[in-house]
Amino acid sequence: MSPTGTSHQAIRGIGVSPGRAVGTVLRMPPPVPEPSGTRRGPGLSDDDAAAQIAAAAERVREGLERSAQGAVGTSREVLETTAMMAADPTLVSTAQDLVRSGDLTPARAVWEAAGQVIDQLAALGGYMAERTRDVADVRDRVVAALTGRPAPGVPDPGHPFVLVARDLAPADTATLDPDRVLAIVTSEGGPTSHTAILARALGIPAVVGAAGAVDLHDDAPVLVDGGKGEVVPDPSEEQVARAQELAAQVRTFDGHGRTRDGHPVPLLANVGNPDGAQPAADAGAEGVGLFRTEFCFLDRKQAPTVEEQVAAYRRVLAAFAGKKVVVRTLDAGADKPLPFLTATDEPNPALGVRGLRTATRDAQVLEDQLTAIAQAAAAEHAETWVMAPMVATVEETEDFVARCTAHGLPTAGVMVEVPSAALLAGPILARAAFASIGTNDLTQYAMASDRLLGSLAGLSTSWQPAVLQLIAATCRGGAQQGRPVGVCGEAAADPALAVVLVGLGVATLSMSPRALPDVAAVLASVTRDECRRLAERALVAETADAARAEIRAALPVLEELGL
Ligand code: PEP
Ligand code: MG
């Protein structure tokens, strides 16, 4: 910690998960490379090489079990599964055979043995094929142990730390423990990447696209401000004290989103894993505005059965009896490939057969899902709405609504994520019961900027005036048809932008439950007319920075609340 006034220049990035944390840096180890040298020198006998492999696998198993004991939830499950794979003798014995028959180095033998095990599992299909990623994980850990590299994945130093990485893979984010990881800083990664969404869901302050973070070294003290998108190396005592004061403020949400003059703006939750539904309800969410059903089935090689879908969906509906739950049909593709539904050979997956478009290739998956949603809805007491992702045309809307009607699902809507849908909101909403704007993809497609790329983060913000105009067009279409328009992209969780969205005519805002108290507090500080006036000002801004700066300056409550 520096004495007052001597802190270093802040590293700028994009704040994707609000909150402040002070701690020391730990960098994510680089991925384990394929061992290049294959032949063993004469100095190491077959037996010694074989013994090294067994010992390394054992060390890996022990380490994973230790980590699992200190972990909870998904993180614990992932670690336990990987420890079990490390204990499986097949990989070790196959590698030991290879050192004996082929003079391979222990690391090379483990690499090749894992390749054989992966091929065998993949050929078996189904559940076994889903384990190939675990084998690759164990392989990397054993090779790291053999070659003296740090173990791959999120490090576990036994104390809390600020995780600094280039970007995080989905499997790494699954093992993030909010009690250990004080904050996340990535030098790449876009603001609406799923890593960012997960960090927000876990309540871990996060800054992405902070190119300067590559210069941070292990154990360096830093202050991370996930709201402002700033990383302050060697912060001053004053900065630390202010951050701690703000971090100690606990806001809650009373379950009624409204403006200062009492105009209701229902604040809903985005839910992925059904485990998140009850905590979302406990956080006061007035319903679910986006249930990302594909998150239940990522990594599946085969389509889930109707029965298992019913079981998963019922858990979410049960947590919201008497309230609205908007179930989105599988949004497979791009950064969320579902092996049973998406092609792997498309040159541009974000522009490919994804979302609702997959039904043109395999309508049965959609039909089964609608069957499952209808059964779950009939068995529970939530108000079940259904919507399709990635709708671009009136014909797609008609087709989807007709399918829902045939399944007895009367409230069928569309997501507005493609600019064409925003521009056609009138005719689309003449057919659909509601629209929900997915600002993450709407921004990606309006700005032609990959939402996963940190280097394009300046483009990938929903403050872009062009994006705001598309949102305004969607709201006009909704008003013409008397249909509600909500927002369920990350824009809804930005308290300043939420004010603008309400002013543009958005009826409901759906977000990660952690964002509910902040959005509610800021909305409660403005009247509906003020929202409208601010929306007009944002709409005529010429740049994203100007729009954001102007609205933030008009909302002093943000500074008071430390947002
Ligand atoms: C969006 O695109 O804004 C959205 C909510 O969907 P997802 O983030 O799951 O693509
Ligand atoms: Mg989307």
Side-chain angles (χ1 to χ4, degrees), residues 36-42 44-47 49-50 53 93-110 112-113 116:
S36 50
T38 53
R39 299 281 156 217
R40 228 169 47 236
L44 190 63
S45 70
D46 283 357
D47 285 348
I53 292 171
S93 62
T94 312
Q96 288 176 328
D97 288 348
L98 284 174
V99 289
R100 293 203 165 92
S101 62
D103 272 355
L104 297 182
T105 62
R108 185 69 207 179
V110 169
E112 293 192 5
Q116 291 179 12

Side-chain angles (χ1 to χ4, degrees), residues 290 292 328 331 336 415 417 438-441 451 488-489:
L290 169 63
R292 289 183 165 102
R328 174 172 77 181
D331 182 23
K336 292 175 291 187
M415 286 195 76
E417 303 179 281
T439 46
N440 309 335
D441 278 316
R451 63 191 267 185
C488 62

Side-chain angles (χ1 to χ4, degrees), residues 241-459:
R242 171 75 179 141
Q244 284 168 344
E245 184 193 321
L246 288 169
Q249 285 180 7
V250 181
R251 269 187 291 282
T252 51
F253 172 47
D254 68 3
H256 297 284
R258 54 199 171 304
T259 56
R260 196 173 79 230
D261 53 337
H263 169 66
V265 181
L267 301 183
L268 314 169
N270 289 353
V271 171
N273 186 329
D275 287 346
Q278 192 54 50
D282 296 342
E286 296 174 74
V288 171
L290 169 63
F291 174 18
R292 289 183 165 102
T293 55
E294 67 281 0
F295 274 30
C296 307
F297 309 114
L298 291 175
D299 286 355
R300 289 296 183 87
K301 293 278 185 302
Q302 252 101 44
T305 63
V306 169
E307 292 70 33
E308 63 183 317
Q309 290 186 67
V310 173
Y313 304 158
R314 282 190 66 176
R315 289 179 57 205
V316 176
L317 299 176
F320 285 91
K323 299 204 169 123
K324 175 171 92 176
V325 174
V326 184
V327 184
R328 174 172 77 181
T329 56
L330 296 170
D331 182 23
D335 59 329
K336 292 175 291 187
L338 293 181
F340 59 88
L341 202 51
T342 40
T344 50
D345 56 354
E346 291 177 346
N348 260 319
L351 304 181
V353 183
R354 60 167 295 195
L356 179 63
R357 297 170 186 182
T358 57
T360 55
R361 202 169 42 212
D362 187 350
Q364 197 54 45
V365 172
L366 176 59
E367 287 295 313
D368 286 351
Q369 184 171 26
L370 294 176
T371 303
I373 296 170
Q375 285 183 16
E380 299 294 339
H381 302 284
E383 193 190 321
T384 307
W385 294 19
V386 191
M387 70 180 175
M390 293 295 295
V391 171
T393 65
V394 168
E395 294 94 316
E396 285 170 352
T397 310
E398 272 174 354
D399 179 69
F400 181 72
V401 173
R403 286 180 195 273
C404 290
T405 309
H407 283 273
L409 292 163
T411 315
V414 296
M415 286 195 76
V416 172
E417 303 179 281
V418 184
S420 63
L423 298 171
L424 288 175
I428 283 180
L429 282 164
R431 277 102 176 154
F434 67 96
S436 183
I437 306 177
T439 46
N440 309 335
D441 278 316
L442 185 62
T443 303
Q444 153 162 274
Y445 296 124
M447 304 308 297
S449 66
D450 187 334
R451 63 191 267 185
L452 303 176
L453 279 185
S455 50
L456 297 180
L459 291 173

Side-chain angles (χ1 to χ4, degrees), residues 43-78:
L44 190 63
S45 70
D46 283 357
D47 285 348
D48 287 348
Q52 281 187 8
I53 292 171
E58 181 55 15
R59 282 204 303 282
V60 167
R61 185 194 62 74
E62 277 171 12
L64 286 164
E65 277 184 357
R66 249 195 329 273
S67 305
Q69 276 159 16
V72 289
T74 314
S75 177
R76 185 178 185 128
E77 279 165 31
V78 170

